[in-house]
Amino acid sequence: MDPEAVELAYSDMKCLEPEEYLKSPVINFYLEYLKKSRPRRDLYMFNTYFYSKLENALSTLGNRDSQFSKLRRWCRNVDIFTKSYLILPINETMHWSLIIVCMPTKGADSGPMMLHLDSLGLHNSQNIFDIVASYLGEEWRNLRKDSSYDIPFSRTIWKRLSRNIKGEKIEVPRQQNEYDCGIFMLYYIDKFIQQAPERLTKESLGMFGRKWFNHEEASQLREGIRTRLFDLFQSAKEDDGPSEPEWQSF
């Protein structure tokens, strides 16, 4: 089985009905769809469960190295610092927002930049920045143990990486209802993948803004995902016989 396959129940599609909140199985399905349909080797996308695991690792008493060793299994064989971008879905208090970590180039004089995109402005950006920065710091400390590690950017920045991680709250188009936060988060990701340069700097932040796209474009994504999933379940039903499939991996 494909290790990136997402297992979905037919009942998971209920969250795609009008005025419903998107749930993790459907969001993860669409993230995998974006990976395959808009491939970018310079980008790494975490699934929706990673952030909660990260919060748990930071809040658990005891050996932090042990906690983060378990966390590394989620992105095994991926050096996050060699990517241009890290995409990290955030779910707190029944609301979805998005973190995009932008890594610097080899010659840059600034460190990683965390962007927070929130379609309602409900999440505490600074709290999320602190959590994500802690993750980057732990990964940095782990890699520093390896004297042969090929540092992916300026040694000056790398030497004091924890002090060089910055956060930016980004103005973005807002949802016009209470329930489209997951839809908007996915649309932010899709638009970003299509438009982001090889490396994003602070001077490039003008690509965002309240007029980045029309909010109606994002809301229409709900029906697009629903149609795509319905077609996949119908195909699975035809392949497997007359009984309606309860679960499928895509």
Side-chain angles (χ1 to χ4, degrees), residues 46-233:
F46 293 93
N47 70 22
T48 60
Y49 304 114
F50 182 80
Y51 184 73
S52 62
K53 295 292 183 182
L54 171 58
E55 285 186 299
N56 185 62
L58 290 170
S59 62
T60 301
L61 297 175
N63 189 327
R64 179 171 285 196
D65 286 344
S66 174
Q67 293 297 323
F68 273 84
S69 178
K70 295 175 184 176
L71 200 63
R72 285 184 195 104
R73 298 172 190 166
W74 285 70
C75 49
R76 189 181 290 113
N77 301 323
V78 175
D79 181 351
I80 60 172
F81 293 110
T82 63
K83 300 295 181 181
S84 296
Y85 304 109
L86 306 178
I87 303 292
L88 182 54
I90 308 295
N91 183 243
E92 288 182 340
T93 60
M94 297 288 291
H95 179 60
W96 293 98
S97 68
L98 177 68
I99 286 286
I100 302 172
V101 180
C102 309
M103 295 296 179
T105 61
K106 192 92 174 180
D109 58 3
S110 58
M113 179 169 53
M114 302 174 291
L115 312 180
H116 187 210
L117 288 65
D118 188 334
S119 58
L120 282 177
L122 291 182
H123 285 163
N124 185 319
S125 296
Q126 190 56 56
N127 183 59
I128 293 172
F129 288 150
D130 290 344
I131 290 171
V132 176
S134 293
Y135 167 63
L136 298 175
E138 288 293 336
E139 293 304 286
W140 168 66
R141 279 183 278 276
N142 180 62
L143 288 171
R144 288 187 75 192
K145 298 173 187 175
D146 182 1
S147 59
S148 65
Y149 179 65
D150 185 16
I151 298 171
F153 33 81
S154 160
R155 285 185 175 274
T156 302
I157 296 297
W158 183 257
K159 188 176 179 180
R160 296 181 175 83
L161 185 72
S162 293
R163 302 179 189 177
N164 286 291
I165 302 170
K166 307 298 181 185
E168 291 279 344
K169 189 172 182 178
I170 302 298
E171 284 293 329
V172 284
R174 297 289 187 98
Q175 64 189 87
Q176 303 298 300
N177 53 48
E178 296 179 353
Y179 43 81
D180 267 350
C181 54
I183 291 291
F184 269 68
M185 181 191 71
L186 289 175
Y187 203 72
Y188 294 152
I189 295 171
D190 193 359
K191 294 288 282 188
F192 183 80
I193 290 173
Q194 294 183 66
Q195 298 176 1
E198 288 186 15
R199 297 279 177 165
L200 190 140
T201 64
K202 197 163 185 177
E203 292 72 33
S204 309
L205 295 180
M207 67 177 285
F208 301 107
R210 291 293 180 93
K211 296 183 179 180
W212 188 17
F213 56 80
N214 188 303
H215 66 85
E216 293 178 353
E217 294 176 32
S219 294
Q220 290 168 4
L221 181 60
R222 178 184 294 271
E223 185 58 31
I225 299 173
R226 188 176 186 279
T227 299
R228 183 171 298 279
L229 264 179
F230 182 78
D231 289 346
L232 286 170
F233 269 105

